[in-house]
Amino acid sequence: MINEDYYYTRKFKELLKKYESCKHEQEKWVFSSDEYISLATYFFSSEKNEKALTVLNEGLDLFPGSDEMLVLKAHVLLRLKKGTEEIRAMVEEHKIVDDFQYSYVSSFLMIAEKRYEEASNTFKQVYHEMIVHQEDRDAQVIRIASFFHDVGQDEYARYWLEKVENCDDENYLDLHGEIILREGKYKEAEKVYKKLIDKNPHVARYWRGLAHCQYGNGNFSEASTNCDFALAIDPEDDIALFLKGNIMSMMYNFPEALKFFKRYSERHPEDGGSLYYQGECLLRMEKKNEALEALLESSRLLEKYPEYQAAFPISSVYCDIAFLLEDRGQHEEALSYVEKCDNRINIKEMMRNQPYMKESSAIAQRIKNNIIDNQ
């Protein structure tokens, strides 16, 4: 695994500048195998997965036998939630000679197919056959743990992290922090991110992680400041942009929150969830017409790209649209969205105890009563 410090060296900065310049000018330039790996790893660690995939495809065209690039490409495909066919096609196209690397890639297929225990057992076999220094052994274990973390299997990720001997390693702390942050252990995670920042203050996601912990603990002012540090390092950090919008909302600074949600939407125009938050900001700013426009577009996008509904309740969008339509006297149109909302709630029976479901049901019933009163 490449040390984060390398990305701040003059050597790497010149390499990155050269690569970006070639892409911008559409010039052809041949880089070495190690340079392609460095660039791809940088983009991957910066969560710019599509860029990482582009670099790896370019590199593999020139160095089809690079096992390290193949392993990294499999990891990128896994993080991008690509199907097993993409990974299998890659394995068939590029014959992997090294048994160790082949086991890695074959395990990616198992993970993609949700055969998590089988994948972990394959990794165990590889782990026991390793004849390397403990430092390299730790690096491989952290890498395996990250595979499982990227698909939400933190139980397996924790199992592998427990095998790490140097718990002060930056890569270990990075992954450990992400896991406990996901579990909502904000105070514990905050200590980890502060330690990471002490080790390396140049990494945007460390500042963003710290901001996320403080946001979770209700320390919005500190969270806002640290989110600014993250965005100063990487203005394209999507998670930091969205987080900053949420922080500003919690501080009742809705015009500023709207600005950050819009910046996020410019980078992800297909994500209807961001438009919902924009609509909420506009509602708080008493701009009902603009809010309705944003919410209607939000519902359209969430219906068109249902994968975003996994992280965002479309019922909330329907209920807010119904509320605004009813407020404008458009009772029949409001009722149509109430019915959509009710249908979603019935389908998601197990989520009825969630606060937004209770709120949605209450709004829906109130709108229904208003419609009856006006008939």
Side-chain angles (χ1 to χ4, degrees):
M1 298 178 77
I2 298 174
N3 193 298
E4 287 280 353
D5 288 334
Y6 171 67
Y7 300 133
Y8 305 97
T9 63
R10 182 177 178 180
K11 180 180 178 182
F12 180 77
K13 286 180 179 179
E14 288 176 352
L15 171 63
L16 180 62
K17 184 178 179 181
K18 181 64 180 177
Y19 177 79
E20 297 283 18
S21 176
C22 290
K23 296 297 288 183
H24 183 264
E25 300 296 331
Q26 296 185 331
E27 294 179 6
K28 287 189 176 181
W29 189 271
V30 176
F31 296 91
S32 70
S33 175
D34 286 342
E35 286 173 331
Y36 278 116
I37 290 168
S38 295
L39 288 163
T41 305
Y42 167 75
F43 289 128
F44 182 70
S45 67
S46 302
E47 298 167 328
K48 295 177 173 64
N49 300 305
E50 293 290 353
K51 279 191 174 183
L53 188 58
T54 298
V55 172
L56 288 167
N57 287 335
E58 291 169 357
L60 285 167
D61 284 343
L62 295 169
F63 305 99
S66 173
D67 290 345
E68 192 168 351
M69 271 196 266
L70 288 168
V71 170
L72 184 53
K73 182 177 177 180
H75 197 175
V76 173
L77 289 171
L78 197 65
R79 185 181 283 183
L80 287 170
K81 296 180 172 58
K82 300 290 184 181
T84 56
E85 292 307 313
E86 287 89 341
I87 299 175
R88 185 173 288 109
M90 185 194 74
V91 173
E92 292 174 357
E93 183 180 355
H94 303 276
K95 185 174 176 61
I96 301 176
V97 178
D98 188 286
D99 290 339
F100 182 83
Q101 303 287 39
Y102 181 81
S103 295
Y104 255 53
V105 176
S106 62
S107 294
F108 278 112
L109 279 172
M110 296 173 195
I111 291 173
E113 294 169 347
K114 300 182 179 180
R115 294 153 54 199
Y116 303 123
E117 186 171 357
E118 192 176 345
S120 187
N121 287 336
T122 301
F123 284 133
K124 286 178 191 176
Q125 184 177 353
V126 172
Y127 175 77
H128 289 303
E129 291 174 358
M130 285 183 193
I131 307 175
V132 294
H133 296 296
Q134 185 60 47
E135 183 180 347
D136 295 329
R137 205 176 182 86
D138 279 355
Q140 295 296 349
V141 166
I142 294 167
R143 197 175 195 181
I144 291 169
S146 72
F147 301 157
F148 287 109
H149 173 68
D150 282 346
V151 294
Q153 295 296 309
D154 284 344
E155 182 180 346
Y156 288 101
R158 278 188 171 281
Y159 168 83
W160 283 97
L161 276 185
E162 287 173 1
K163 297 181 181 295
V164 176
E165 290 199 1
N166 180 16
C167 295
D168 196 48
D169 178 86
E170 187 175 338
N171 291 312
Y172 169 86
L173 289 170
D174 188 5
L175 184 54
H176 177 58
E178 285 190 13
I179 290 172
I180 59 177
L181 176 58
R182 183 186 282 179
E183 293 172 345
K185 299 175 181 177
Y186 300 120
K187 289 185 178 178
E188 186 180 344
E190 185 172 350
K191 293 177 183 178
V192 173
Y193 281 109
K194 284 181 176 177
K195 193 171 185 179
L196 281 165
I197 289 167
D198 286 341
K199 284 177 170 290
N200 191 342
H202 307 293
V203 183
R205 71 175 179 276
Y206 297 169
W207 290 101
R208 180 234 295 160
L210 178 59
H212 197 158
C213 295
Q214 291 162 338
Y215 172 77
N217 283 325
N219 301 325
F220 302 125
S221 181
E222 291 181 57
S224 177
T225 299
N226 289 317
C227 214
D228 287 339
F229 285 137
L231 289 168
I233 296 169
D234 183 4
E236 298 181 348
D237 188 321
D238 297 329
I239 299 174
L241 286 170
F242 207 94
L243 178 60
K244 179 72 176 184
N246 276 308
I247 293 168
M248 290 293 96
S249 291
M250 296 303 294
M251 296 175 75
Y252 299 99
N253 189 342
F254 299 109
E256 193 71 5
L258 182 63
K259 182 177 77 174
F260 283 97
F261 288 133
K262 282 184 174 180
R263 280 178 61 184
Y264 175 88
S265 285
E266 286 171 4
R267 295 179 49 75
H268 296 279
E270 75 288 351
D271 187 349
S274 176
L275 278 163
Y276 169 77
Y277 286 106
Q278 290 177 45
E280 290 296 295
C281 290
L282 290 163
L283 269 175
R284 296 299 188 98
M285 294 161 66
E286 298 185 356
K287 296 184 177 182
K288 292 184 178 181
N289 290 337
E290 291 179 49
L292 179 58
E293 186 179 337
L295 291 165
L296 287 169
E297 180 63 8
S298 172
S299 68
R300 186 188 71 80
L301 287 171
L302 288 169
E303 288 166 359
K304 184 176 181 180
Y305 302 102
E307 60 269 24
Y308 288 101
Q309 293 182 28
F312 187 83
I314 195 171
S315 294
S316 295
V317 185
Y318 290 150
C319 280
D320 280 355
I321 291 172
F323 173 78
L324 286 168
L325 289 171
E326 190 269 338
D327 186 62
R328 293 169 67 170
Q330 296 174 238
H331 304 300
E332 293 303 320
E333 292 91 335
L335 186 57
S336 69
Y337 279 94
V338 170
E339 290 170 351
K340 279 187 177 185
C341 180
D342 281 346
N343 289 337
R344 296 291 300 187
I345 293 171
N346 291 336
I347 291 169
K348 301 290 185 182
E349 189 71 37
M350 61 179 166
M351 298 181 72
R352 276 190 178 276
N353 292 325
Q354 294 294 327
Y356 77 81
M357 285 299 185
K358 290 180 180 179
E359 182 184 359
S360 297
S361 298
I363 292 172
Q365 189 58 52
R366 190 182 71 174
I367 293 170
K368 283 182 178 179
N369 291 341
N370 285 344
I371 292 170
I372 292 168
D373 290 341
N374 281 286
Q375 284 178 339

